Amino acid sequence: MTQMPAPTTRYAAVQASYWSAFCMIILFASAYLLDAGLSNGQVGAVIACGGGLSAVLQPVVAGAADRSRRVPLRVWAGWVGMLILVVAAILVVPGLHWLLTAVFFGLMILSIQLLQPLVNALGMGAAARGIPLNFGIARAAGSATFALVSVVAGWVVASAGTVMVPLLVIAFQALFLVATLTFVSRGPATVVATGAEHDLEPPSEPMTPARWRRFFALLAGITLSMTSHAMINNYMLQIMRHHGGDTGEMGTAIMIAAITELPVMVLWSRVVARWTPGRLLQVAGVFFTVKTGATWLAAGVVGVYAAQVLQTLAFAVMVMASVYYVERILPARDRTRGQAFMTMTSSGGSVLGSLTAGVLLDATSVPAMLLVGTLIAAVGAVLTVVAVESRI
């Protein structure tokens, strides 16, 4: 068996610790904030505010880190990671007012999403310098750890209470700081071909105003797909309680979804060699609708589990294909901006999904919320299928 290069192993530790903390903050936001006395609508507002501010600040912070010559990227990531650790420690203080709890948890939501482009840039920057690092394998390690943490933490929180949420965030962020601040590649870099460099092709046509309009229509479609995704993920606890489950079943459902992402990420070079990123984005858009609809029609916990399996053709394909689509369609001078736009679709979808689902849950029911989510995903799929350039 071929051993993974050391940089891949070390970067996998960065991804694994990051996604572990992400799981605790985003997945368990509803459980923690509801236990603190907030309503579903208020929970949605907290998640939306954190995601909205993150969408605004992501390009600002990433741009500052990119322009900084004195401060390494790993240190920028370390600063944000330390902020999350400190805020989590504050949340452990007993007797904290519910409003302060909401503010500090919102700050954690903002910070963990703000950290994502820095974590990705850390690996992509190393690979660009010729460091023998396989980004897909490392990212798959993040998803695998996310899956494990979601199910184990679900049962831990169910038995020990929501105080375990900030305590586990502290533990994972400590690991993240160690992995990130020690991610230093010394000595001359050696270029190691992974096959990925052959997956991308330079754009063959200029980006005319008409093509830019199609690109922004595609972004709108993906944002709506991510809205439906957020309505399920951010409110999985409420979905499970509707079917008689709790945080344990919630964790299991998220674990199933995360595990099904792994084949696509690990085998992406083969997938993208057979189908274009544009065609794969169309497939993902359709399957977001199918997945949300299947969750809506699920008759019980097992039905929700079955719907989560569709993650492999929805979210996993969307995440990978969107990165490659930007690289293929945009000229080099616009790719960083294009990737930032793609990242903002996730943050924007989280904001829309959190607000919409929170209001619907307070006013109606879980099935009504999922029906609206299915309709939103369907509109997103239509926009994606029409706007994407499938030959690219």
Side-chain angles (χ1 to χ4, degrees):
M1 181 179 293
T2 303
Q3 187 176 6
M4 278 198 303
T8 299
T9 302
R10 289 189 286 118
Y11 183 60
V14 175
Q15 286 277 357
S17 54
Y18 169 77
W19 285 104
S20 296
F22 186 96
C23 175
M24 296 309 306
I25 294 171
I26 302 300
L27 178 60
F28 289 88
S30 286
Y32 188 84
L33 294 173
L34 287 173
D35 192 57
L38 280 73
S39 68
N40 286 312
Q42 290 170 330
V43 170
V46 171
I47 297 173
C49 287
L53 288 172
S54 174
V56 173
L57 293 176
Q58 275 178 4
V60 176
V61 173
D66 190 46
R67 293 189 300 270
S68 175
R69 297 184 181 275
R70 293 185 178 181
V71 182
L73 186 58
R74 69 180 185 279
V75 175
W76 280 87
W79 285 342
V80 180
M82 180 59 72
L83 173 62
I84 296 171
L85 191 152
V86 170
V87 172
I90 293 173
L91 287 171
V92 177
V93 176
L96 200 64
H97 191 275
W98 72 267
L99 183 58
L100 288 176
T101 299
V103 170
F104 283 120
F105 206 97
L107 181 57
M108 279 208 308
I109 292 172
L110 185 160
S111 301
I112 199 68
Q113 294 185 70
L114 197 64
L115 192 54
Q116 187 173 347
L118 300 180
V119 169
N120 290 339
L122 192 66
M124 295 302 291
R129 295 194 304 273
I131 303 299
L133 184 152
N134 189 312
F135 186 89
I137 294 294
R139 179 60 182 81
S143 286
T145 310
F146 185 101
L148 178 63
V149 169
S150 65
V151 67
V152 173
W155 295 112
V156 169
V157 171
S159 60
T162 56
V163 69
M164 294 304 301
V165 174
L167 287 175
L168 288 172
V169 170
I170 291 171
F172 292 136
Q173 282 304 108
L175 293 174
F176 174 80
L177 288 171
V178 172
T180 301
L181 295 176
T182 59
F183 186 71
V184 181
S185 299
R186 297 183 176 88
T190 302
V191 176
V192 177
T194 63
E197 64 273 14
H198 302 300
D199 298 335
L200 302 177
E201 301 171 357
S204 57
E205 300 176 28
M207 287 299 291
T208 62
R211 294 188 82 204
W212 273 114
R213 285 193 292 271
R214 287 189 66 173
F215 181 72
F216 285 116
L218 171 63
L219 293 178
I222 295 176
T223 298
L224 292 178
S225 294
M226 297 306 294
T227 297
S228 69
H229 178 71
M231 293 174 77
I232 293 176
N233 267 25
N234 294 352
Y235 292 93
M236 181 59 77
L237 177 59
Q238 287 86 334
I239 295 171
M240 283 305 182
R241 285 178 175 171
H242 171 73
H243 291 296
D246 212 319
T247 55
E249 289 77 14
M250 176 191 73
T252 300
I254 299 299
M255 179 199 68
I256 291 170
I259 286 176
T260 61
E261 296 174 7
L262 300 181
V264 169
M265 293 178 178
V266 172
L267 302 175
W268 182 252
S269 293
R270 297 183 183 180
V271 173
V272 80
R274 185 167 183 178
W275 295 286
T276 66
R279 182 67 68 191
L280 289 167
L281 283 175
Q282 292 176 324
V283 170
V286 170
F287 272 91
F288 269 111
T289 308
V290 176
K291 178 175 180 282
T292 311
T295 307
W296 167 48
L297 295 173
V301 169
V302 175
V304 177
Y305 289 163
Q308 290 292 86
V309 174
L310 296 169
Q311 182 93 338
T312 190
L313 294 174
F315 181 77
V317 171
M318 182 73 77
V319 166
M320 300 299 291
S322 62
V323 173
Y324 277 67
Y325 186 78
V326 167
E327 294 296 314
R328 287 191 177 183
I329 194 173
L330 298 183
R333 67 179 182 276
D334 291 320
R335 286 174 189 165
T336 300
R337 184 170 56 141
Q339 295 295 355
F341 285 143
M342 281 295 179
T343 302
M344 290 172 67
T345 62
S346 179
S347 298
S350 180
V351 171
L352 292 173
S354 298
L355 287 174
T356 303
V359 171
L360 287 171
L361 285 173
D362 279 341
T364 57
S365 63
V366 167
M369 181 269 287
L370 291 173
L371 172 58
V372 172
T374 303
L375 296 175
I376 290 173
V379 175
V382 171
L383 278 173
T384 299
V385 169
V386 172
V388 78
E389 298 185 40
S390 59
R391 69 183 187 283
I392 293 177

